[in-house]
Amino acid sequence: MSVQIKLIAGSILLTGMIGLAGCSSNNEAANSDSEATAPTETAVAATSVPEVSPASTPAATAPETAPETAPETAPAATSSPTEPDKDSTSSNSQNSDKQLKELLELAKKGKVPGVKYAAHTGLIDEVEADWGKPDQQESAGKGIYATYTDKHVVFGFNKGSLIFDVRSSDSALQKLTLKQIEATLGKPDDTKVNGEDKIYTYQANDQYQLKFIIPSSTGTVDHISVFSEQDSFNNMAG
C-alpha cells in the first residue's frame, strides 16, 4: 500500500517538473521572438529618416523669386531718358532758328557775328589799324584775302582796299546743318559745288548774299560768307 502511494507521489512530482520545464521553455521562446522583432523596428525607423531630407530641399526654391523681379525693374530705367531727349531736341531747334534769323539780319548790313567791319563799307586798312597785320594774306579769285586766325575771320578786299567779303568760321556756326538752315530760311537761291564743299547762297537783299559752306565730309557748316558781289568786280574802288 505504501509502495503505491510512493509511486503516485513520484508521478505527480514528475508531471509537475515537466510542466514547469515546459513553461520555462515557452517563456524563453517568447523572449527570443520579441528580441528578434526589435531590430526590424529600428530598421524601419532608420529608413524613415531619409524621407525628411527631400522635404527640406524645396526651401532652395526661394532664390527663384529674385530673377523674376529683377527684369521687371530694368525697363523702367530706359523710359525716363526719352523725355529729356525731346526737350533737348526742341531747345536745339529753337536755338538754331534764332541764330539763323540773326545771321540773316546781320547779312543785310554786310556783317557777320562779332565783327564790326562790314562788306561794301569797310576798308582793310581800318581792320589792320585795329587788329594788326593778318596772319596770312593771299590773292584768290576776284580779290585779296586776309586771314585772322585767332578771330576766325577772313576778309576779302579789292585793290582799292574795300572789303567785299566777310567770312567767319566761329565754332558756334559749325554746329548748323543744311536741314536746320532750310527749316528757317527755306530753300537756297543758289547751290554750287567747289571740290568737296557745297555752297548754299541766300540773297539777303539787293546788296548782300549770305552763303553757307558745308563740306560733304562733315555735313555741318565750315564757315559763312557775307558777300557783296558788285564790289568784287570793282578792283579800283576806294
Side-chain angles (χ1 to χ4, degrees):
M1 186 71 181
S2 61
V3 174
Q4 290 179 346
I5 293 172
K6 288 179 180 180
L7 289 172
I8 292 170
S11 297
I12 293 170
L13 180 63
L14 180 62
T15 301
M17 291 175 66
I18 291 171
L20 290 172
C23 290
S24 175
S25 64
N26 288 337
N27 289 335
E28 289 175 1
N31 291 334
S32 64
D33 291 338
S34 63
E35 290 174 0
T37 57
T40 60
E41 292 174 359
T42 58
V44 172
T47 57
S48 65
V49 173
E51 293 177 1
V52 181
S53 59
S56 63
T57 56
T61 59
E64 293 177 2
T65 59
E68 292 176 1
T69 57
E72 293 178 1
T73 58
T78 59
S79 60
S80 58
T82 57
E83 295 299 329
D85 289 344
K86 290 180 181 179
D87 294 340
S88 177
T89 301
S90 176
S91 177
N92 290 339
S93 178
Q94 292 175 357
N95 290 340
S96 64
D97 182 71
K98 180 181 179 181
Q99 182 183 16
L100 286 162
K101 288 178 179 178
E102 290 176 352
L103 289 177
L104 184 61
E105 289 303 310
L106 284 171
K108 292 177 181 179
K109 302 175 183 178
K111 296 182 177 182
V112 299
V115 180
K116 65 181 181 180
Y117 303 104
H120 182 63
T121 58
L123 298 174
I124 193 62
D125 297 338
E126 296 172 339
V127 176
E128 290 184 0
D130 188 10
W131 291 4
K133 292 290 183 179
D135 300 298
Q136 183 177 349
Q137 183 169 303
E138 59 185 351
S139 298
K142 299 175 181 180
I144 305 167
Y145 282 81
T147 301
Y148 289 86
T149 305
D150 292 342
K151 296 184 180 296
H152 307 286
V153 175
V154 177
F155 295 101
F157 59 96
N158 57 30
K159 291 182 179 179
S161 296
L162 182 67
I163 297 171
F164 63 83
D165 191 1
V166 183
R167 302 179 181 182
S168 175
S169 57
D170 188 82
S171 59
L173 302 170
Q174 295 178 336
K175 300 176 182 178
L176 294 170
T177 65
L178 178 61
K179 182 178 180 180
Q180 292 173 324
I181 295 168
E182 290 185 343
T184 301
L185 303 181
K187 294 291 183 180
D189 298 303
D190 184 54
T191 301
K192 292 181 179 179
V193 177
N194 182 21
E196 294 186 356
D197 296 340
K198 286 188 176 181
I199 304 172
Y200 302 93
T201 301
Y202 291 84
Q203 195 69 42
N205 54 27
D206 293 340
Q207 184 68 50
Y208 301 109
Q209 296 173 344
L210 173 60
K211 300 182 180 184
F212 296 90
I213 293 79
I214 301 179
S216 57
S217 59
T218 64
T220 58
V221 170
D222 178 75
H223 65 275
I224 65 170
S225 166
V226 175
F227 188 74
S228 174
E229 187 174 15
Q230 72 177 49
D231 295 315
S232 66
F233 294 115
N234 187 4
N235 291 330
M236 295 304 295

